[in-house]
């Protein structure tokens, strides 16, 4: 996972996003690390200003000096919005699947992992097709980075997922 391979601030991500935004003439990409996103969501406003970005960078560096990557990831996952009024993995798991996170299948976990990208528009209860497309991207990335093998990938892609509203995706 890329999160474990960079510090609190990923300069290459910031540069990539800046170039994409300049080329598009508007903000189309962000360059924030997961740590920066956590800091922004919990401690700062969502205002797009240089002052806020500097505060975000300083707090992110402080956070990574005092907490392990696993602790920061846990904080992020427990405070992130996952759509349908769900904040945190536990609530998202109950909202979408009616079960605890420890009972999720790989395919179901990939649905939840897909949601922080666009939690409202990818909400599987409202947009199962869009969410399924994103879930497949997550599964492909997990395979690409060696987190799952080909058999697990195929099984997760083939699994029929039943949501709490009865929808099967």
């Amino acid at each position: 996972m890329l999160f474990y391979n960079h510090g609190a601030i990923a300069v290459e991500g910031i540069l990539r996003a800046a170039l994409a935004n300049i080329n598009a003439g508007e903000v189309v990409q962000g360059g924030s690390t997961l740590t920066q996103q956590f800091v922004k969501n919990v401690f700062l406003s969502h205002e797009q200003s240089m002052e806020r970005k500097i505060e975000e960078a300083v707090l992110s560096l402080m956070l990574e000096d005092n907490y392990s990557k696993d602790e920061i990831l846990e904080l992020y996952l427990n405070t992130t919005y996952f759509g349908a009024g769900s904040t945190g993995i536990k609530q998202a798991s109950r909202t979408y699947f009616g079960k605890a996170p420890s009972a999720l299948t790989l395919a179901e976990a990939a649905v939840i992992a897909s949601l922080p990208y666009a939690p409202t528009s990818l909400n599987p209860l409202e947009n199962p097709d869009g969410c399924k497309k994103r879930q497949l991207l997550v599964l492909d990335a997990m395979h690409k980075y060696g987190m799952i093998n080909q058999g697990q990938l195929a099984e997760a892609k083939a699994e029929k997922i039943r949501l709490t509203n009865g929808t099967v995706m």
Side-chain angles (χ1 to χ4, degrees):
M1 185 169 162
L2 298 176
F3 167 66
Y4 289 96
N5 296 329
H6 60 66
I9 302 162
V11 176
E12 60 281 353
I14 293 168
L15 292 174
R16 174 196 37 77
L19 286 173
N21 295 340
I22 289 168
N23 287 335
E26 63 181 326
V27 177
V28 293
Q29 282 188 23
S32 296
T33 64
L34 187 141
T35 304
Q36 288 174 284
Q37 291 173 42
F38 169 74
V39 165
K40 177 183 70 179
N41 290 340
V42 174
F43 301 114
L44 302 172
S45 72
H46 290 270
E47 166 195 12
Q48 292 200 2
S49 70
M50 188 55 73
E51 181 179 307
R52 203 261 310 146
K53 287 300 281 182
I54 291 168
E55 289 174 340
E56 179 183 293
V58 169
L59 289 172
S60 295
L61 289 166
M62 291 171 60
L63 192 69
E64 290 218 0
D65 279 346
N66 291 288
Y67 293 91
S68 71
K69 287 286 198 175
D70 286 342
E71 289 170 322
I72 293 168
L73 181 59
E74 182 178 354
L75 289 167
Y76 174 82
L77 292 173
N78 285 324
T79 58
T80 295
Y81 183 64
F82 288 91
S86 298
T87 298
I89 293 281
K90 186 175 181 178
Q91 193 173 22
S93 181
R94 296 254 182 240
T95 297
Y96 297 121
F97 305 110
K99 56 175 99 169
S102 60
L104 293 175
T105 66
L106 174 59
E108 292 167 338
V111 166
I112 291 178
S114 73
L115 295 174
Y117 175 76
T120 301
S121 64
L122 291 177
N123 169 352
L125 300 174
E126 301 292 326
N127 182 8
D129 292 336
C131 185
K132 182 67 176 180
K133 288 177 186 172
R134 184 72 184 177
Q135 177 230 25
L136 295 175
L137 291 173
V138 168
L139 289 168
D140 286 337
M142 292 176 74
H143 180 256
K144 177 182 175 182
Y145 292 106
M147 299 169 144
I148 59 174
N149 64 37
Q150 185 64 41
Q152 292 168 311
L153 175 66
E155 185 178 322
K157 284 184 169 186
E159 182 179 327
K160 298 295 181 202
I161 300 169
R162 180 170 301 279
L163 302 171
T164 54
N165 67 357
T167 299
V168 177
M169 51 181 282

